[in-house]
C-alpha cells in the first residue's frame, strides 16, 4: 500500500467468498480479483483519472473556495467486467449466472 | 483469477470432469449428443453446467445468449410400473425470461423380446424356430405439467416420438414451448415419462442416468443494483441455527480468522492485544523493544548502555562465545587497557 499513487487509481482486492460466508453455496469461482478505486481527485486533475466535465468544474469550484462545503469529486469505478458464478439454489440445483459489474477495470473521478 | 472449486459434493464430480479430457465433449454444442455412456458414471448435470461455466469463463461465451442457466434434477417415481420423472421448476425467478429449455436424457436401443413361432403339434419335438426380433421398439416422451400438490396426473403438454439410437447415448430435446406454456399457466411442476409401449420396461435408472432439464434465460433484474446479493446472500439453511452463536446470519460454518481485531474493553494503549507475550527465552526482557517486531525501514537510535553494562555485556558475549577463542591474562589486560 505504501507505494500506491495518491491520485485516484485502481487498487488490488481479491475477494474470497468464504470471507463473506457465501462459499457454502458457491461452487466456482472460490475467489476472484474484484479491485477497488481509491485516491485523490483534487484540482488540477490529470487526464489519467478521466474526469467528467462536471467533475472538472466541481474541482475548480472547490479549489476557488467561493462556494463553501463543496467536496472534491469521488474516485469511482469507471469500466467494469462481468463474472460468471456457478452456485446451488435453494433446491440444490446448479445455477450459472453472469453478473455484470463485478470487477473494476478502470477508475475515474466523478 | 479463479481459484479451484469450493470443496463441496460437486467438486468431486466436477474434478472428475477436469481430469477427463474427452475431446469429443470439448467440441460442439453442449446440448448435442455426447458419447458418455453409463461407464462414464459422472453426474451429467454437474458436468454439463461446469462445461457451460468454463466456456463462459474462458471465452466469454454467454450461455444460450442470456445471463442465466438453471438446471433441474429429476425426482423419479414409479407410476403404473412406469418410471416418471418430476421436475420442480419453482426456483425460476419471475424476472428470468426463458430463451430455450432442453430436456436431456440417456436412451439405449430397446430390442423387443424374440417372438416364438407357434410350434406345430406334429413336429412337437422339432425345435421350435425363433423368429428374428423386429425393429427396435419406438420410444415416446410424454410431458405433463401440474401445479403444486395436485393429485391428478396433470395436463399433457407434449409428446415426442424418439428415434432409437444405435447405441446408448445422451440426447437432448428442445422443450421450450412446453416449459413456457406450463409457466404461463402457473404449473411449475413438470413430469416426463419415457414410454416405450412395453410394460415393465420402465425400470428405474441409476440417478446418474436420470434425465435433467436446462433452462437458458435472460434475467432482467440482473442489472439492478445489488442483484448479486438478491441471489447469493442467503442465511445458511444448513446451519443448526443456534442463535447463541452470535455469528452473523449468513456466516459460513467454518469460522475464518478475522483480519481485524476487536478491542476487548477500553483502549489503554496502542499496542495490539495478544502481542505483549514475550518469548520465554528472551535474555533481557526489559530490553525487549516491541517495535523490533515490525520490520521498520527506519531503525531508531538505541540508547548507549553505561560503561559498566558495556563491559559486562562484552564479557557475557565473550563467555558465551565459541569455546575455541580464549586469551591469556596478559593479552586480556592489554586489551582492557586499550
Amino acid at each position: 500500500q505504501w507505494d500506491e499513487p495518491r491520485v485516484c487509481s485502481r487498487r488490488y482486492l481479491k475477494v474470497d467468498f468464504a470471507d463473506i460466508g457465501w462459499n457454502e453455496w458457491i461452487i466456482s469461482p472460490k475467489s476472484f480479483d474484484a479491485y477497488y478505486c481509491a485516491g485523490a481527485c483534487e484540482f488540477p486533475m490529470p487526464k489519467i483519472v478521466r474526469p467528467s466535465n462536471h467533475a472538472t468544474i466541481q474541482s475548480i469550484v472547490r479549489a476557488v473556495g467561493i462556494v463553501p462545503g463543496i467536496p472534491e469529486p469521488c474516485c469511482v469505478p469507471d469500466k467494469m467486467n462481468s463474472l460468471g458464478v456457478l452456485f446451488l439454489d435453494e433446491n440444490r440445483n446448479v445455477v450459472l449466472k453472469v453478473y455484470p459489474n463485478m470487477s473494476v477495470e478502470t477508475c475515474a473521478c466523478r | 483469477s479463479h481459484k479451484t472449486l469450493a470443496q463441496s459434493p460437486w467438486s468431486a464430480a466436477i474434478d472428475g470432469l477436469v481430469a477427463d479430457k474427452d475431446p469429443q465433449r470439448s467440441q460442439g454444442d453442449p446440448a448435442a449428443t455426447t458419447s458418455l455412456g453409463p461407464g462414464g458414471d459422472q453426474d451429467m448435470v454437474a458436468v454439463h453446467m461446469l462445461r457451460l461455466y468454463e466456456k463462459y469463463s474462458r471465452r466469454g461465451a454467454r450461455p444460450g445468449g442470456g445471463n442465466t442457466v438453471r438446471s433441474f434434477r429429476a425426482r423419479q417415481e414409479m407410476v403404473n410400473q412406469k418410471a416418471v420423472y418430476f421436475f420442480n421448476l419453482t426456483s425460476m425467478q419471475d424476472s428470468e425470461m426463458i430463451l430455450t429449455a432442453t430436456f436431456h436424457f440417456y436412451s439405449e436401443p430397446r430390442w423387443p423380446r424374440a417372438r416364438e413361432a407357434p410350434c406345430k403339434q406334429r413336429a412337437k419335438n422339432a425345435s421350435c424356430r425363433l423368429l428374428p426380433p423386429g425393429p427396435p421398439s419406438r420410444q415416446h416422451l410424454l410431458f405433463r405439467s401440474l401445479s403444486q400438490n395436485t393429485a391428478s396426473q396433470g395436463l399433457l403438454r407434449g409428446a415426442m416420438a424418439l428415434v432409437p439410437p444405435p447405441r446408448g447415448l445422451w440426447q437432448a430435446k428442445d422443450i421450450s414451448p412446453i416449459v413456457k406454456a406450463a409457466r404461463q399457466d402457473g404449473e411449475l411442476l413438470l413430469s416426463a415419462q419415457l414410454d416405450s409401449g412395453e410394460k415393465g420396461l420402465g425400470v428405474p435408472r441409476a440417478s446418474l442416468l436420470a434425465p435433467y432439464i436446462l433452462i437458458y434465460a435472460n434475467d432482467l433484474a440482473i442489472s439492478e443494483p445489488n442483484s448479486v446479493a438478491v441471489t447469493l446472500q442467503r442465511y445458511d439453511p444448513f446451519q443448526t441455527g443456534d442463535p447463541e452463536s452470535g455469528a452473523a446470519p449468513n456466516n459460513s460454518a467454518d469460522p475464518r480468522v478475522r483480519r481485524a481485531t476487536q478491542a476487548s474493553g477500553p483502549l489503554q494503549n496502542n499496542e495490539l492485544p495478544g502481542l505483549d507475550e514475550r518469548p520465554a527465552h528472551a535474555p533481557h526482557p526489559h530490553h525487549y523493544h516491541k517495535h523490533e517486531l515490525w520490520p521498520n525501514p527506519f531503525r531508531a537510535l538505541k540508547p548507549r548502555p553505561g560503561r559498566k553494562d558495556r563491559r559486562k555485556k562484552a564479557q557475557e558475549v565473550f563467555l558465551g562465545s565459541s569455546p575455541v577463542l580464549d586469551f591469556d591474562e596478559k593479552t586480556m589486560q592489554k586489551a582492557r587497557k586499550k
Side-chain angles (χ1 to χ4, degrees):
Chain A
Q1 279 178 338
W2 310 116
D3 56 3
E4 286 180 350
R6 272 182 65 350
V7 78
C8 168
S9 61
R10 183 178 79 158
R11 314 303 166 95
Y12 182 68
L13 169 67
K14 176 188 280 292
V15 171
D16 189 322
F17 283 120
D19 284 348
I20 55 177
W22 291 5
N23 56 310
E24 236 122 308
W25 42 84
I26 288 184
I27 301 172
S28 190
K30 193 167 173 303
S31 64
F32 73 102
D33 296 335
Y35 300 94
Y36 68 95
C37 298
C41 290
E42 291 161 337
F43 177 83
M45 285 185 277
K47 247 187 190 169
I48 193 173
V49 297
R50 280 183 292 281
S52 62
N53 291 332
H54 177 275
T56 303
I57 292 173
Q58 181 177 333
S59 67
I60 294 173
V61 169
R62 171 186 163 83
V64 166
I66 293 177
V67 181
I70 301 293
E72 69 178 41
C74 302
C75 178
V76 293
D78 183 24
K79 277 208 207 80
M80 301 190 73
N81 296 322
S82 302
L83 177 72
V85 179
L86 199 65
F87 62 92
L88 293 171
D89 68 7
E90 300 80 14
N91 301 331
R92 292 185 69 83
N93 284 316
V94 180
V95 180
L96 169 62
K97 268 191 181 290
V98 176
Y99 292 98
N101 307 327
M102 287 284 276
S103 74
V104 176
E105 192 174 325
T106 60
C107 299
C109 288
R110 289 285 181 274
Chain B
S1 65
H2 304 307
K3 283 296 168 213
T4 55
L5 296 175
Q7 290 312 312
S8 67
W10 300 106
S11 52
I14 292 172
D15 279 350
L17 163 70
V18 169
D20 175 7
K21 291 279 175 258
D22 177 351
Q24 187 172 358
R25 188 173 342 140
S26 59
Q27 289 162 3
D29 182 0
T33 56
T34 62
S35 66
L36 260 187
D41 68 2
Q42 284 175 326
D43 184 347
M44 274 312 287
V45 176
V47 167
H48 203 150
M49 289 301 284
L50 175 72
R51 196 187 318 143
L52 292 173
Y53 167 78
E54 289 197 346
K55 221 174 170 187
Y56 171 74
S57 302
R58 287 222 187 98
R59 289 181 277 162
R62 282 181 174 268
N67 56 30
T68 299
V69 184
R70 284 192 179 275
S71 67
F72 298 91
R73 290 177 168 283
R75 187 171 42 84
Q76 196 173 317
E77 289 183 16
M78 292 304 290
V79 177
N80 305 330
Q81 291 187 331
K82 289 192 176 166
V84 178
Y85 300 97
F86 290 91
F87 298 89
N88 175 3
L89 306 184
T90 51
S91 55
M92 258 194 311
Q93 307 294 308
D94 294 343
S95 59
E96 292 171 355
M97 298 297 123
I98 298 174
L99 299 174
T100 50
T102 49
F103 176 74
H104 301 263
F105 60 98
Y106 182 77
S107 73
E108 292 163 308
R110 290 177 183 262
W111 304 104
R113 278 187 222 87
R115 288 170 293 158
E116 286 175 6
C119 297
K120 289 198 183 41
Q121 287 306 321
R122 282 194 315 288
K124 202 176 195 57
N125 52 5
S127 64
C128 296
R129 280 183 311 106
L130 287 179
L131 286 177
S137 62
R138 300 181 68 80
Q139 284 177 318
H140 290 88
L141 259 182
L142 303 176
F143 289 95
R144 290 187 174 78
S145 71
L146 12 84
S147 50
Q148 297 281 7
N149 58 41
T150 48
S152 72
Q153 264 209 338
L155 179 65
L156 182 62
R157 292 285 180 179
M160 297 176 186
L162 298 179
V163 174
R167 55 190 170 74
L169 51 79
W170 281 89
Q171 297 190 50
K173 283 288 178 197
D174 186 355
I175 57 169
S176 306
I178 294 173
V179 172
K180 284 176 182 173
R183 182 188 202 191
Q184 202 149 6
D185 298 340
E187 296 187 341
L188 291 177
L189 196 57
L190 207 63
S191 73
Q193 187 177 341
L194 280 171
D195 184 8
S196 61
E198 289 182 22
K199 270 210 178 310
L201 267 187
V203 177
R205 296 164 170 240
S207 65
L208 290 180
L209 293 180
Y212 60 93
I213 288 179
L214 290 189
I215 292 183
Y216 299 83
N218 207 24
D219 185 354
L220 302 180
I222 211 164
S223 306
E224 295 293 317
N226 209 19
S227 63
V228 66
V230 167
T231 39
L232 292 179
Q233 173 119 14
R234 294 195 217 144
Y235 299 96
D236 188 350
F238 308 115
Q239 205 163 7
T240 51
D242 51 349
E244 304 318 311
S245 69
N250 65 347
N251 221 351
S252 74
D254 60 339
R256 291 189 64 97
V257 175
R258 285 185 60 83
R259 293 202 192 135
T261 55
Q262 294 296 331
S264 54
L267 276 181
Q268 265 112 37
N269 55 35
N270 279 341
E271 300 307 325
L272 279 178
L275 276 188
D276 51 0
E277 300 93 325
R278 288 182 198 77
H281 59 292
H284 296 296
H286 58 287
H287 285 302
Y288 193 58
H289 296 289
K290 286 202 184 44
H291 68 270
E292 286 171 353
L293 287 177
W294 307 103
N296 182 334
F298 307 106
R299 290 251 163 247
L301 289 177
K302 287 199 183 104
R304 275 177 73 81
R307 183 184 296 281
K308 228 180 282 148
D309 279 352
R310 263 183 299 168
R311 195 178 300 127
K312 202 167 55 173
K313 197 166 184 187
Q315 273 175 1
E316 279 163 12
V317 165
F318 173 73
L319 288 174
S321 64
S322 146
V324 172
L325 289 178
D326 56 12
F327 299 93
D328 57 6
E329 196 48 38
K330 208 162 95 201
T331 310
M332 283 302 288
Q333 277 172 2
K334 240 187 252 170
R336 271 196 210 101
K337 242 180 248 145
K338 245 185 221 149

